[in-house]
């Protein structure tokens, strides 16, 4: 039941983009088309889950063992950068069209603070390895969900007549704010589920 609560909370209640405001750059940059948003969501899900496993093991087996926790951020960034390079090489071979569609935003996963943020959050929350994997994958699903919904909104916005002063980034930011407000409706769901299943 604890895993289900982590899953629901990471996707809806504490959405990494809309509640914690991490990963805004790809959220705004790759959300023009649903196809691109799906591809980016899949790439982030893969990198985020894999990076969390590797950084968790690095933290427990190396940094904690040798008392060098102060190197956490640098070590995590190096691991994430290496993983993104691997994903980029694989995607270039497997799906050149998706690789071209993502363009500059695929290397930006390296500097996507959502990936680094999740890797650090699982250590701070003192999750086990399995809880960390569930949290990372759920967070990636939440990121993908927000990205796809927002891409759908932007595709609809391209079909309507928007007042001149609101065109471009202005309407994009207003739409992102409205989507964030919509996700705020889920706040308290995890607390309610905890009470319902007697986990408090």
């Amino acid at each position: 039941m604890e895993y289900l609560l982590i899953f629901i909370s990471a996707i809806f209640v504490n959405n990494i983009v809309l509640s914690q405001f991490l990963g805004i750059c790809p959220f705004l940059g790759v959300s023009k088309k649903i196809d691109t948003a799906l591809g980016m969501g899949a790439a982030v899900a893969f990198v985020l889950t894999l990076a969390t496993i590797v950084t968790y093991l690095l933290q427990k087996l190396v940094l904690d063992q040798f008392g060098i926790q102060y190197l956490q951020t640098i070590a995590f960034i190096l691991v994430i950068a290496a993983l993104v390079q691997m994903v980029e090489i694989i995607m270039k071979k497997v799906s050149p069209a998706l690789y071209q569609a993502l363009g500059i935003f695929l290397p930006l996963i390296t500097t996507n603070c959502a990936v680094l943020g999740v890797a650090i959050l699982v250590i701070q929350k003192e999750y086990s390895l399995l809880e960390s994997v569930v949290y990372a994958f759920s967070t990636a699903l939440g990121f993908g969900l927000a990205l796809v919904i927002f891409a759908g909104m932007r595709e609809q916005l391209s079909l309507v007549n928007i007042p001149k002063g609101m065109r471009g980034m202005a309407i994009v930011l207003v739409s992102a704010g409205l989507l964030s407000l919509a996700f705020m409706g889920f706040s308290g769901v995890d607390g309610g589920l905890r009470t319902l299943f007697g986990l408090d």
Side-chain angles (χ1 to χ4, degrees):
M1 192 52 65
E2 190 66 40
Y3 298 114
L4 180 63
L5 289 172
I6 291 171
F7 184 78
I8 292 170
S9 177
I11 294 176
F12 299 108
V13 182
N14 297 315
N15 188 284
I16 197 79
V17 182
L18 302 172
S19 297
Q20 299 182 51
F21 307 109
L22 295 173
I24 298 292
C25 178
F27 178 70
L28 294 176
V30 193
S31 58
K32 291 178 183 172
K33 291 183 178 177
I34 291 177
D35 293 343
T36 314
L38 283 168
M40 185 65 169
V44 168
F46 178 72
V47 170
L48 195 59
T49 307
L50 196 58
T52 301
I53 294 168
V54 175
T55 53
Y56 182 90
L57 295 173
L58 178 69
Q59 178 75 35
K60 298 297 178 188
L61 301 176
V62 179
L63 301 181
D64 287 350
Q65 293 296 322
F66 294 101
I68 50 174
Q69 293 91 340
Y70 57 87
L71 292 175
Q72 183 190 62
T73 306
I74 294 170
F76 284 13
I77 288 171
L78 289 172
V79 167
I80 291 165
L83 287 171
V84 170
Q85 288 303 311
M86 187 177 76
V87 169
E88 195 171 354
I89 290 166
I90 291 168
M91 195 173 285
K92 196 172 185 179
K93 296 281 185 193
V94 175
S95 178
L98 183 59
Y99 176 79
Q100 289 294 326
L102 290 174
I104 189 68
F105 294 103
L106 190 58
L108 283 178
I109 297 176
T110 309
T111 55
N112 184 348
C113 52
V115 180
L116 179 61
V118 169
I120 292 172
L121 279 171
V122 295
I123 303 300
Q124 289 177 348
K125 291 175 184 272
E126 297 180 354
Y127 282 153
S128 67
L129 180 59
L130 188 56
E131 287 174 333
S132 299
V133 171
V134 170
Y135 179 75
F137 185 69
S138 306
T139 301
L141 285 181
F143 179 85
L145 177 68
L147 204 60
V148 169
I149 291 172
F150 194 54
M153 289 172 68
R154 288 184 73 174
E155 282 189 3
Q156 288 297 313
L157 285 172
S158 65
L159 303 174
V160 297
N161 188 19
I162 299 167
K164 192 174 181 182
M166 288 296 290
R167 287 179 191 160
M169 194 49 72
I171 193 68
V172 170
L173 292 174
V174 169
S175 302
L178 291 172
L179 184 58
S180 181
L181 283 171
F183 267 71
M184 282 180 67
F186 292 112
S187 61
V189 168
D190 57 340
L193 287 174
R194 283 183 180 278
T195 306
L196 180 66
F197 294 109
L199 294 172
D200 277 339

